[in-house]
């Protein structure tokens, strides 16, 4: 969300549960807002109480959540979009490396490889 939209972004998918504060929909240039793929409110709240010590636990719990029906359906929607062309995951998280985004990206790579193996 910190970088301006580029034509090469393809489909821009917001992968945050909450809309970024102070960002207009026009400025965000988001094509799809996929709240269902994000960590649960409970997990986010737990993680934000002590992010420096809880990241490993957060990633484990989020990986578990990604296996539930709602997350599985949302991941399927993302994979379908990826099959149609370039997809850019958009987030307003300041520390992307210590957020849900790397876990989600790894999960999507895994699912795509499984889908390609057929």
């Amino acid at each position: 969300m910190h970088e301006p939209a580029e034509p090469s972004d393809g489909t821009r998918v917001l992968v945050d549960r909450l809309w970024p504060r102070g960002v207009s929909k026009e400025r965000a240039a988001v094509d799809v807002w996929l709240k269902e793929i994000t960590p649960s409110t409970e997990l986010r709240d737990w993680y934000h109480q002590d992010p420096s010590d809880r990241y490993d636990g957060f990633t484990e719990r989020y990986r578990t959540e990604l296996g539930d029906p709602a997350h599985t359906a949302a991941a399927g929607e993302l994979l379908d979009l990826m099959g149609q062309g370039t997809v850019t995951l958009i987030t307003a998280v300041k520390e992307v490396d210590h957020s849900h985004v790397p876990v989600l990206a790894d999960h999507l790579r895994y699912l795509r490889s499984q889908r390609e193996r057929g």
Side-chain angles (χ1 to χ4, degrees):
M1 192 67 57
H2 306 288
E3 302 289 325
E6 297 288 336
S8 61
D9 288 347
T11 303
R12 292 171 53 89
V13 180
L14 178 62
V15 293
D16 290 343
R17 185 159 299 268
L18 304 174
W19 187 264
R21 191 175 312 176
V23 177
S24 70
K25 291 188 180 189
E26 293 77 30
R27 185 170 146 243
V30 168
D31 298 303
V32 177
W33 183 12
L34 203 55
K35 293 181 249 184
E36 299 81 7
I37 198 73
T38 65
S40 65
T41 299
E42 296 79 15
L43 180 54
R44 282 186 309 105
D45 289 347
W46 174 83
Y47 174 55
H48 288 142
Q49 289 173 11
D50 190 4
S52 60
D53 286 336
R54 292 187 173 178
Y55 187 69
D56 289 341
F58 169 78
T59 61
E60 287 177 32
R61 291 178 183 197
Y62 183 41
R63 285 183 207 285
T64 299
E65 285 189 356
L66 286 168
D68 72 30
H71 283 89
T72 298
E77 186 176 337
L78 258 175
L79 288 173
D80 290 345
L81 288 170
M82 291 166 67
Q84 297 170 19
T86 301
V87 170
T88 300
L89 302 180
I90 305 298
T91 184
V93 172
K94 291 179 182 151
E95 292 187 42
V96 174
D97 291 343
H98 292 96
S99 75
H100 67 290
V101 177
V103 179
L104 176 58
D106 286 344
H107 184 67
L108 291 170
R109 279 191 286 274
Y110 170 76
L111 291 176
R112 185 169 49 183
S113 72
Q114 293 300 101
R115 189 179 267 194
E116 288 170 355
R117 288 183 188 164

